[in-house]
Amino acid sequence: PERLLEVALRGLLAPGDGPRDRTLEVYLRSTGTGEARSETRRLLGREYTSVLATLTDADDAELRSDLILAWLLGIGLTRTVIGKDPIASADPDDICRLMLHASRTLLEKLPDDGSA
C-alpha cells in the first residue's frame, strides 16, 4: 500500500513507447454506458481506494483515498489526453515529488522519502 500511489503515478507518467502499467490508463478510457465499462471503473476505483484508505486513520479514509485517486486520474488526463503544459512536459520525478509530498496531508501513513 505504501508504494501504490507512486507506482501508479509513475506508470501514468512513463513515456508511451516504454513498458508501463496501463491499469489507470484503462480506467481513464473506460467511459461510456456499457455494463463492462461501468464494472471496470467500479472495480478499479474500489481496488485503488481501498488500498489507499489503509494509509490513514482518519474517519473519512474513503473520501481521502477517492480524492487522491481523482487527483491521480486528473494528472493522467491532463498530461496524456489534453497535453496541457506545464504538466505535459514536466519531469516525472518533479510531479511525483510534489504530488507525494502533498498527498501526505490526506494519507499520513504515506512514507516520506525525504526528497520533498
Side-chain angles (χ1 to χ4, degrees):
E2 293 85 9
R3 305 299 298 171
L4 175 64
L5 180 57
E6 182 175 1
V7 168
L9 182 57
R10 289 193 181 279
L12 277 176
L13 300 173
D17 55 349
R20 65 183 187 170
D21 180 358
R22 298 195 184 274
T23 305
L24 287 176
E25 196 173 315
V26 168
Y27 186 91
L28 276 172
R29 297 183 187 281
S30 294
T31 58
T33 58
E35 186 176 319
R37 291 179 185 142
S38 296
E39 185 67 6
T40 299
R41 285 193 310 269
R42 187 182 66 75
L43 290 174
L44 284 173
R46 186 175 62 203
E47 285 181 23
Y48 275 85
T49 57
S50 65
V51 171
L52 292 174
T54 67
L55 299 174
T56 183
D57 291 325
D59 291 338
D60 59 354
E62 188 175 337
L63 173 59
R64 289 168 179 248
S65 61
D66 266 351
L67 287 168
I68 296 293
L69 180 60
W71 190 11
L72 183 62
L73 293 171
I75 290 170
L77 181 69
T78 301
R79 184 172 173 104
T80 61
V81 177
I82 299 171
K84 184 186 177 299
D85 279 323
I87 292 175
S89 62
D91 184 300
D93 289 334
D94 290 338
I95 292 174
C96 284
R97 177 181 49 82
L98 291 169
M99 183 173 173
L100 292 171
H101 177 72
S103 296
R104 287 185 193 93
T105 300
L106 294 172
L107 305 175
E108 71 277 356
K109 293 181 185 178
L110 198 62
D112 185 354
D113 66 4
S115 66

